[in-house]
Amino acid sequence: MAIIHDAQLHPSKSELLIEWLPSQPWFQGAAATLVRVGAYRFDDPAGEVGIETHLVAVDGRTYQVPLTYRGAPLAGAQDFLIATMEHSVLGRRWVYDATADPVYLGELAAAILTGKPQAVETLAAAGGGVLPATVQLASTGTPATSDAGLPDLRCGVPSTTGVITNVPCGSVNFAILRELDTTGTVQHEHSLSARWDGQQVPVLLAAAIAA
């Protein structure tokens, strides 16, 4: 369960993306015109790291932008730090490209390989309810009773070729799509896909490939 606070953010998430996206080799278009089509979250089992993936549309293209929000810098990940953000409830947050964050990668592995569901977003305010999901995930994974079937997640440095970021993690490589094929023609045997409002054909988000 992801706890969502009624908070002020500086910069806002949209401002952060508008500033960062143009510097990425896989991005094309005018970032200032981006439209958020949805987002989904994973749960950090330790409850420390916020894990949120944004889906944004820009100039007819749809991009996937996974982020993690941390209360302190992530050691060794300076090259993947996007910005710091002031959160009116949680204080300063360090925002990272999640493809380099081991907490995100662990939850992505669980989602793809065991079908672990996305986080349910619940308002923190007294009497707050559950927020409706704007993205519906689907996994090819087989539910597991433990994490014993997950790969060694001592992951290497992400590398991006074209619109795919590849992350080697022991016996598995994770391919994370940056630009999404909304025709739904690209699929994979071990994968995570999504639908959202106006997108009824499942779209591949990420895949696990044997190293």
Side-chain angles (χ1 to χ4, degrees), residues 2-142:
I3 304 300
I4 308 301
H5 298 275
D6 182 12
Q8 298 298 314
L9 304 177
H10 300 285
S12 69
K13 294 174 184 178
S14 292
E15 290 169 339
L16 184 153
L17 292 175
I18 289 169
E19 178 70 22
W20 181 71
L21 283 173
S23 67
Q24 304 312 299
W26 41 265
F27 178 80
Q28 299 181 50
T33 66
L34 72 81
V35 175
R36 182 178 180 272
V37 299
Y40 64 92
R41 288 179 179 264
F42 293 144
D43 275 322
D44 171 15
E48 295 294 329
V49 179
I51 310 169
E52 184 177 30
T53 297
H54 299 266
L55 304 183
V56 298
V58 180
D59 294 344
R61 301 173 184 269
T62 303
Y63 295 95
Q64 175 179 215
V65 189
L67 305 177
T68 52
Y69 311 111
R70 287 175 165 267
L74 174 60
Q78 179 61 34
D79 289 346
F80 298 91
L81 177 65
I82 295 174
T84 56
M85 171 190 289
E86 297 299 327
H87 189 291
S88 61
V89 176
L90 301 176
R92 178 161 296 181
R93 309 295 283 171
W94 280 257
V95 184
Y96 288 92
D97 176 352
T99 63
D101 194 314
V103 176
Y104 165 77
L105 293 169
E107 292 309 297
L108 179 66
I112 294 175
L113 300 176
T114 74
K116 184 176 180 179
Q118 67 200 82
V120 175
E121 296 183 304
T122 303
L123 293 171
V130 173
L131 294 174
T134 58
V135 175
Q136 293 77 44
L137 298 184
S139 170
T140 60
T142 301

